[in-house]
Amino acid sequence: MKSNLRSPAPGALMRNGLLLLLALVLPVWQALAQAPTAQPEMAEVLRQNGKIYVVVAVIVVVLAGLLLFLISLDRKLSRLEKEVREER
Amino acid sequence: MKRNWWKALTVILLLYVAVAGLLVPVPRLAILNESIRNLYFHVPMWFGMTAILIASVYYSVRYLRTPTAEFDIKAHEAARTGILMGCVGLATGSIWARYTWGAWWTNDPKLNGAAVAMLIYGAYLVLRSSFTDEQQRARVSSIYNIFAFAVAMPLFYILPRLTDSLHPGAGGNPAFARYDLDSDMRLVFYPAVIGWTLLAFWVAQLATRISVLKLKVYEKQLA
């Protein structure tokens, strides 16, 4: 049964996904670290200066990562289901 | 892909909610401030939980009418997803309470009702794991699931409304009266409810498919 599996090792896929996520998040991290510390600006004054867009970007990246993981899990399951059906 | 359109819709709606939920203007209210945006994330957890628990009860009833392993698996995985959503709902509500009401937990009828309801569903998982015979497990847990739903829903939605409560939507509380009229918030809130509910169904479907596969592989090994 194992020889029929054509999908890449789940570990490798996971690693690739994690690397992609890191590559996406790290630049944003850099931007966060360089924020001025003298006067903390809040979303109240001007949303652009409050850097709310950075938060939005981070949340979108996190959510996209989770959803991509769900999609890949879904596909792997479909492949497995097909295999089990054909083996009958 | 034709049968999976709703998964694409889930992705689109949730990404929209993440962006619009943080950027679309909201009413300026004292105490709540920007935390009013939690409405797009905390409240849909409970909507999603209710929807998936209804699905769970549906499959429990179907199991009792026609006992097949598949109905039992569907009811179980739906209930598990509902419990997960409820726990996330409790946790997010607790954080929100800390910064608006000043305490992680208050002895509010809505909060305690939700906690008791979650414990009732926790007992469902314990009950399930205490059987070794599959058919007995499926039958007894189906019956318990129906009772748990019948007890939990009044605890969530009816009893808190009969008394005073801090929590909006329970008792006489005008805290959210302004967003009731705010069309900007509705533009995000309704997609959020649909998106998070669909996500719950997606997760439950994946869990169900894994369990069904496991069962099939196990049966094949026995044969």
Side-chain angles (χ1 to χ4, degrees):
Chain A
M1 185 184 164
K2 262 181 193 157
S3 58
N4 290 359
L5 279 172
R6 265 167 289 122
S7 60
L13 219 126
M14 210 60 149
R15 208 161 41 239
N16 288 342
L18 270 176
L19 280 176
L20 181 73
L21 203 67
L22 268 181
L24 285 168
V25 169
L26 280 178
V28 184
W29 207 317
Q30 180 84 16
L32 262 180
Q34 285 168 353
T37 47
Q39 268 276 316
E41 281 168 322
M42 288 311 291
E44 275 287 301
V45 186
L46 243 181
R47 302 203 69 78
Q48 286 88 335
N49 295 341
K51 293 200 172 58
I52 190 75
Y53 294 110
V54 182
V55 183
V56 174
V58 168
I59 291 177
V60 166
V61 167
V62 170
L63 194 61
L66 283 173
L67 291 172
L68 280 176
F69 173 72
L70 264 190
I71 291 167
S72 82
L73 197 65
D74 202 312
R75 287 184 154 179
K76 268 184 238 165
L77 257 176
S78 300
R79 228 174 289 145
L80 254 180
E81 280 168 345
K82 203 177 149 203
E83 240 167 71
V84 169
R85 233 180 295 133
E86 280 168 357
E87 258 179 45
R88 246 183 206 173
Chain B
M1 200 62 220
K2 247 181 236 165
R3 283 165 63 209
N4 285 337
W5 61 270
W6 59 279
K7 289 172 186 168
L9 184 69
T10 312
V11 172
I12 294 164
L13 283 179
L14 286 184
L15 288 175
Y16 165 74
V17 167
V19 175
L22 289 165
L23 296 181
V24 166
V26 291
R28 284 168 183 252
L29 299 178
I31 300 169
L32 272 175
N33 306 86
E34 296 278 7
S35 85
I36 196 170
R37 296 180 191 277
N38 279 350
L39 183 82
Y40 309 136
F41 303 97
H42 165 73
V43 182
M45 291 301 127
W46 299 104
F47 275 82
M49 181 207 70
T50 307
I52 201 90
L53 289 182
I54 289 171
S56 175
V57 167
Y58 170 75
Y59 283 117
S60 280
V61 171
R62 287 200 66 180
Y63 175 83
L64 291 175
R65 294 175 70 94
T66 36
T68 61
E70 208 177 323
F71 286 144
D72 178 53
I73 288 171
K74 281 181 176 172
H76 176 220
E77 298 298 351
R80 270 181 48 180
T81 313
I83 291 165
L84 174 71
M85 299 286 281
C87 288
V88 172
L90 279 183
T92 52
S94 185
I95 296 169
W96 201 0
R98 172 66 186 81
Y99 294 102
T100 49
W101 302 341
W104 294 105
W105 193 266
T106 60
N107 280 326
D108 191 272
K110 185 92 170 176
L111 273 61
N112 283 344
V116 170
M118 292 318 296
L119 288 176
I120 289 170
Y121 268 101
Y124 167 80
L125 297 180
V126 175
L127 179 75
R128 258 193 93 85
S129 62
S130 64
F131 287 102
T132 46
D133 182 63
E134 285 106 14
Q135 287 185 9
Q136 204 177 17
R137 174 174 63 206
R139 190 154 28 87
V140 174
S141 59
S142 291
I143 295 163
Y144 181 85
N145 190 24
I146 295 167
F147 275 108
F149 183 80
V151 175
M153 284 304 126
L155 281 170
F156 281 126
Y157 299 116
I158 299 172
L159 293 181
R161 279 165 210 243
L162 300 179
T163 54
D164 275 339
S165 169
L166 274 172
H167 195 287
N173 188 306
F176 280 97
R178 285 208 23 210
Y179 82 61
D180 286 340
L181 300 167
D182 194 274
S183 51
D184 277 349
M185 286 198 82
R186 279 186 201 178
L187 226 56
V188 184
F189 179 61
Y190 296 149
V193 167
I194 298 168
W196 289 108
T197 304
L198 285 177
L199 184 77
F201 276 87
W202 191 358
V203 170
Q205 194 222 40
L206 288 182
T208 303
R209 283 161 65 190
I210 289 174
S211 294
V212 169
L213 259 184
K214 224 197 258 174
L215 186 75
K216 275 184 185 161
V217 170
Y218 181 67
E219 278 171 350
K220 203 171 287 168
Q221 280 170 346
L222 282 183

